Amino acid sequence: MEPRRILFVCMGNIIRSPLAENLFRQQAEAAGLNGKYEVDSAGTGSWHAGESPDARMRRTAARHGLVYDGAARQVRLSDFDSFEIILAMDTENRRELRARVRRPDQMRKIRLLRDFDPASGPNASVPDPYYGGDEGFEETYRIVEAGVRGLLEALEKGRA
């Protein structure tokens, strides 16, 4: 059976989406689901292409036991075909993604990560802590973790 392919998307692919990618991978492995899912992350913009994830978020994640690295990339048109689920971190990212689709089936793949967070309302966004202090990175970490946990649960129960 082919793994389900999931893409997490934020603006620059250096804070929220690589965190979601790596948290999902960690949670899936902890649940013994190795090989069942294939995850990646990308940004709607190309400003940070090739850069490592933001050091502030990596420090925040490390305090929670998650260590990761990687290189930012921009969303490609082929992503709309090769991923089954595309999760935007906020409504602006979702709007950018929707503007790039070429077919209705691709549009149906795009969701917000917080759609899977039971504590959030409709159209809820993951805040971007880029211009703030450490407390913003901690809040974003908690929000992304909740969304990823809810996503994995929904996937495993056949609701996503």
Side-chain angles (χ1 to χ4, degrees), residues 24-72:
F24 185 93
R25 189 175 289 121
Q26 179 192 53
Q27 289 184 17
E29 287 174 9
L33 302 171
N34 297 9
K36 191 168 182 180
Y37 301 100
E38 186 177 314
V39 293
D40 196 6
S41 62
T44 56
S46 63
W47 316 278
H48 298 289
E51 292 179 19
S52 293
D54 187 284
R56 297 167 295 175
M57 184 52 86
R58 286 189 291 143
R59 281 193 301 273
T60 300
R63 286 194 296 272
H64 292 271
L66 177 66
V67 177
Y68 64 96
D69 205 1

Side-chain angles (χ1 to χ4, degrees), residues 5 23 48 82 108 113 116 121 134 136:
R5 300 192 74 223
L23 274 170
H48 298 289
S82 56
R108 288 189 291 272
L113 176 63
F116 297 95
D134 287 346

Side-chain angles (χ1 to χ4, degrees), residues 1 8 12 29 37 55 61 78 86 100 124 147 154:
M1 182 182 206
F8 297 97
E29 287 174 9
Y37 301 100
S78 61
I86 301 172
R100 298 177 193 191

Side-chain angles (χ1 to χ4, degrees), residues 73-127:
R73 73 172 182 89
Q74 187 174 17
V75 171
R76 299 182 286 261
L77 288 178
S78 61
D79 290 334
F80 292 99
D81 293 320
S82 56
F83 288 93
E84 182 181 337
I85 302 170
I86 301 172
L87 293 157
M89 295 298 121
D90 62 39
T91 55
E92 183 180 330
N93 303 143
R94 182 178 63 185
R95 186 173 51 255
E96 291 265 345
L97 289 166
R98 286 177 172 173
R100 298 177 193 191
V101 300
R102 299 177 314 282
R103 299 185 316 271
D105 64 305
Q106 295 173 333
M107 185 72 76
R108 288 189 291 272
K109 295 178 179 189
I110 301 167
R111 305 275 304 272
L112 289 170
L113 176 63
R114 293 204 65 195
D115 287 350
F116 297 95
D117 178 353
S120 73
N123 293 311
S125 294
V126 175

